[in-house]
Amino acid sequence: MLVSEIKEILDAEILAGEDMLDINIDYGYGCDLMSDVLAFVRHDIILLSGLVHPQVIRTAEMLDINAIAFVRGKKPSSELIRMAKLKNIILLTTKHTLFTACGLLYKNGLEGEEIAHDEDSL
Amino acid sequence: MKIHYDVEGGEFISAGVASSKLKKTLKQLGISPNVIRKVSICMYEAEINMVIHADGGVIDVEITPENIEILIKDEGPGIEDLDLAMQVGYSTASSKAREMGFGAGMGLPNIKRHSDGMKIETKVGEGTKLELIFNIK
């Protein structure tokens, strides 16, 4: 799914990376716990989160996550947006809740990380 | 190749700078993305731990053609019960750490899972030393 499609589905505003909306992303992960993101994410995902802390950008950087959608209308600081731009990470913000945003994307074909049947997971 | 990083304690916003720098260096050296990912996850988890629990410390990295060795040392409070700390879900992190999305008790188990070798020495009141090895080939 293209990031431009994700933007439409979530009725989202782009905060960073407007020139990168043609990137394709097939998986999504919704979480406010960066510890869990580091532990469970394996694919190239879009991260959906209500956490607007600089460590969200750091976590994305470590895992080569190209796009983050902030939920519940959360908007990060200009410093965080600047950090994302420097690291070529696309930032979106949507007024949907985490549950609804994930549901909308899943319904439209974005896949989730499957960890329930993964023997190698923690 | 040897690289040294100083990690400042209490700097919740800048935590991860050393991990970011190491990742950039490994990319420049042409290390495979799979190895870089494993190193990045472990280094970042360790750096965050150091900031959350130990008021910073030092990280020394040695890169040879065969492997990457990372030595993470702090002079923090040490880990009282290492077996407990290795358990998924156990955490003694502050509310400040939790506000930034950490302290879920996933750090050390996650480091163990993503490294090719892990040795931890800790003494209450003196600090913690974590040695990690990653095979390049």
Side-chain angles (χ1 to χ4, degrees):
Chain A
M1 187 183 289
L2 298 175
V3 176
S4 55
E5 293 175 77
I6 292 174
K7 174 189 181 293
E8 290 305 313
I9 291 165
L10 296 181
D11 193 16
E13 183 189 334
I14 305 287
L15 303 172
E18 276 176 30
D19 53 337
M20 296 188 288
L21 302 189
D22 55 349
I23 285 179
N24 192 68
I25 296 174
D26 293 324
Y27 288 83
Y29 193 86
C31 194
D32 286 354
L33 261 182
M34 295 305 108
S35 299
D36 278 7
V37 177
L38 285 164
F40 295 125
V41 168
R42 288 172 196 186
H43 294 93
D44 292 333
I45 57 146
I46 176 167
L47 173 63
L48 292 97
S49 183
L51 192 69
V52 285
H53 192 282
Q55 294 308 334
V56 177
I57 305 292
R58 285 267 178 242
T59 301
E61 182 191 1
M62 292 304 139
L63 295 172
D64 295 316
I65 292 171
N66 290 315
I68 302 167
F70 296 110
V71 296
R72 307 190 285 274
K74 295 282 177 84
K75 278 194 180 171
S77 66
S78 54
E79 175 59 22
L80 193 148
I81 293 173
R82 196 183 64 85
M83 204 172 149
K85 284 180 179 170
L86 276 175
K87 299 183 186 303
N88 289 321
I89 295 170
I90 305 164
L91 295 184
L92 300 93
T93 181
T94 174
K95 286 184 177 161
H96 289 296
T97 62
L98 183 59
F99 181 83
T100 305
C102 291
L104 286 168
L105 294 176
Y106 191 78
K107 192 171 79 177
N108 280 277
L110 206 70
E111 291 188 53
E113 290 282 357
E114 183 51 73
I115 61 167
H117 306 292
D118 184 353
E119 286 177 6
D120 191 36
S121 72
L122 291 167
Chain B
M1 181 180 187
K2 289 182 180 179
I3 315 166
H4 175 85
Y5 301 101
D6 290 309
V7 178
E8 284 178 44
E11 292 296 322
F12 286 86
I13 287 177
S14 63
V17 172
S19 305
S20 179
K21 283 182 183 167
L22 178 62
K23 184 170 187 180
K24 204 172 161 191
T25 303
L26 296 180
K27 269 188 188 170
Q28 284 166 350
L29 290 172
I31 307 286
S32 86
N34 184 39
V35 174
I36 294 180
R37 185 184 174 88
K38 283 164 47 174
V39 172
S40 299
I41 289 171
C42 295
M43 173 89 167
Y44 183 52
E45 290 272 22
E47 194 178 347
I48 289 285
N49 271 347
M50 204 177 236
V51 173
I52 290 174
H53 298 287
D55 203 26
V58 293
I59 301 176
D60 285 285
V61 181
E62 186 167 1
I63 305 163
T64 69
E66 286 78 34
N67 55 44
I68 300 167
E69 277 186 53
I70 305 181
L71 181 61
I72 296 140
K73 266 197 307 195
D74 68 59
E75 292 176 1
I79 303 168
E80 267 187 41
D81 190 330
L82 194 54
D83 288 338
L84 260 182
M86 288 305 297
Q87 276 179 26
V88 169
Y90 179 81
S91 176
T92 58
S94 64
S95 57
K96 205 173 169 190
R98 290 172 204 269
E99 277 166 21
M100 62 183 204
F102 293 94
M106 305 297 276
L108 284 176
N110 203 24
I111 290 173
K112 191 176 181 190
R113 184 162 66 123
H114 283 98
S115 58
D116 296 311
M118 170 180 168
K119 206 166 105 187
I120 189 162
E121 284 172 34
T122 185
K123 207 162 184 189
V124 173
E126 289 184 18
T128 300
K129 195 167 97 176
L130 177 67
E131 278 180 77
L132 301 174
I133 291 190
F134 301 87
N135 301 325
I136 290 181
K137 288 172 183 168

